[in-house]
Amino acid sequence: MLNTVLFDMGGTLEDIWYNDETVADVMEKLKAVLRANGLEPGCTDQEFQERVLAGVKDYKRWSEGNMLEAKPEEIWPDYYLKSFGFDREKLLPITEELANLWEITYYHRELRPGVKELMDGLKARGYHIGVISNNASLYNVFNVLEEYGIRDYMEDVTVSSVTGYRKPHPEIFRISMRQMRCRPENCVYVGDTVSRDIIGAKRAGFGRAAQIYSFLTAQKDVGIPIAESEKPDVVIQNFEEFLAWLDRENPAMALK
């Protein structure tokens, strides 16, 4: 019987997107933090952005290719800001600040409609609830859940930067299940991408996997070969629809 529902964060519980304005904003704020700590980029604004984004691309190539996540103190000096050759001793103490700044500024984030109602509905039915998220900041997911007022619903929050594994690596799902003390066949995972969320949950043996589309869905899933066994069990438009589907799939825990 299904008794646990685990959620992706960015693109699932929260709507997420970026554009030229958010990119420009994060670059300005990064430079301000660096300069406040005695680290001068020494280049034009355009060159700064190009060099940072090239470092991000290099990191994504390594991280996504290996399904691993480094810590902020490795990501920023060794990838994002590598070309600047900053004094590592000055940079290391601010890497988590930079990582969190990136997550909340490069991306526009807001809680999806109906999330709190969904959490109340799941709790009323007796489900265990948690989060499994890819995030290159150690604390961002925890902080954002607090800001949204939904942290207390979560029995566990498993983040790639803490575990070292990123979705779709099955180990990050297994770590979450160990911490939640649940079995994979009893779990439902809800995410916005097949390539990370659905495939990862299916390979970890989850009982069900549901997909909700986001800004990131198309770009992350493009060109990904998907086996029939790794397709979502349902594609939902909103969380009211998800709860109705869950009641049909698992009538034993539906409200009477």
Side-chain angles (χ1 to χ4, degrees), residues 51-63 79-80:
R51 289 167 70 178
V52 171
L53 292 180
V56 172
K57 186 176 181 180
D58 285 345
Y59 176 69
K60 293 296 184 184
R61 186 183 300 114
W62 174 83
S63 180
Y79 290 95
Y80 286 21

Side-chain angles (χ1 to χ4, degrees), residues 17-238:
W17 50 264
Y18 61 87
N19 58 22
D20 290 344
E21 290 184 3
T22 67
V23 174
D25 190 23
V26 77
M27 295 302 166
E28 287 304 311
K29 290 178 178 175
L30 287 177
K31 284 183 289 185
V33 172
L34 290 169
R35 285 170 174 152
N37 287 274
L39 298 166
E40 174 55 53
C43 61
T44 66
D45 292 348
Q46 182 62 31
E47 184 181 349
F48 180 80
Q49 177 170 314
E50 290 173 357
R51 289 167 70 178
V52 171
L53 292 180
V56 172
K57 186 176 181 180
D58 285 345
Y59 176 69
K60 293 296 184 184
R61 186 183 300 114
W62 174 83
S63 180
E64 294 177 1
N66 293 287
M67 294 183 287
L68 299 175
E69 196 84 84
K71 297 288 188 290
E73 60 263 31
E74 300 166 314
I75 295 172
W76 286 85
D78 296 340
Y79 290 95
Y80 286 21
L81 300 176
K82 182 178 181 179
S83 71
F84 296 93
F86 288 133
D87 183 336
R88 200 177 187 94
E89 294 306 309
K90 289 185 178 180
L91 183 58
L92 288 180
I94 61 170
T95 51
E96 173 57 28
E97 180 183 357
L98 296 173
N100 183 66
L101 175 63
W102 184 272
E103 294 293 336
I104 63 174
T105 311
Y106 182 90
Y107 298 104
H108 171 86
R109 298 172 179 269
E110 58 185 303
L111 192 66
R112 276 191 189 259
V115 170
K116 290 185 179 179
E117 292 81 358
L118 171 63
M119 295 297 148
D120 288 333
L122 292 173
K123 282 294 186 183
R125 288 161 173 78
Y127 284 97
H128 302 286
I129 308 171
V131 165
I132 306 174
S133 175
N134 285 351
N135 194 295
S137 161
L138 293 171
Y139 305 117
N140 172 260
V141 174
F142 301 92
N143 294 338
V144 172
L145 287 169
E146 290 282 0
E147 291 170 11
Y148 290 147
I150 58 174
R151 175 67 181 91
D152 289 344
Y153 289 100
M154 308 304 169
E155 295 180 29
D156 178 68
V157 178
T158 298
V159 182
S160 60
S161 57
V162 177
T163 67
Y165 299 97
R166 61 180 287 118
K167 296 175 294 182
H169 199 301
E171 190 59 25
I172 191 171
F173 293 89
R174 296 187 190 115
I175 290 169
S176 175
M177 285 184 287
R178 286 196 293 271
Q179 294 174 168
M180 293 284 290
R181 298 182 180 180
C182 61
R183 299 181 63 82
E185 62 268 24
N186 302 133
C187 294
V188 181
Y189 193 70
V190 187
D192 61 317
T193 63
V194 172
S195 57
R196 300 177 179 186
D197 300 313
I198 307 304
I199 287 177
K202 292 283 187 176
R203 291 178 181 176
F206 275 37
R208 299 287 189 278
Q211 183 180 21
I212 185 168
Y213 291 135
S214 79
F215 170 86
L216 299 176
T217 301
Q219 59 181 273
K220 299 301 181 183
D221 286 349
V222 64
I224 301 296
I226 303 170
E228 190 65 32
S229 62
E230 295 177 333
K231 291 182 178 180
D233 295 293
V234 65
V235 177
I236 56 170
Q237 304 302 314
N238 54 61

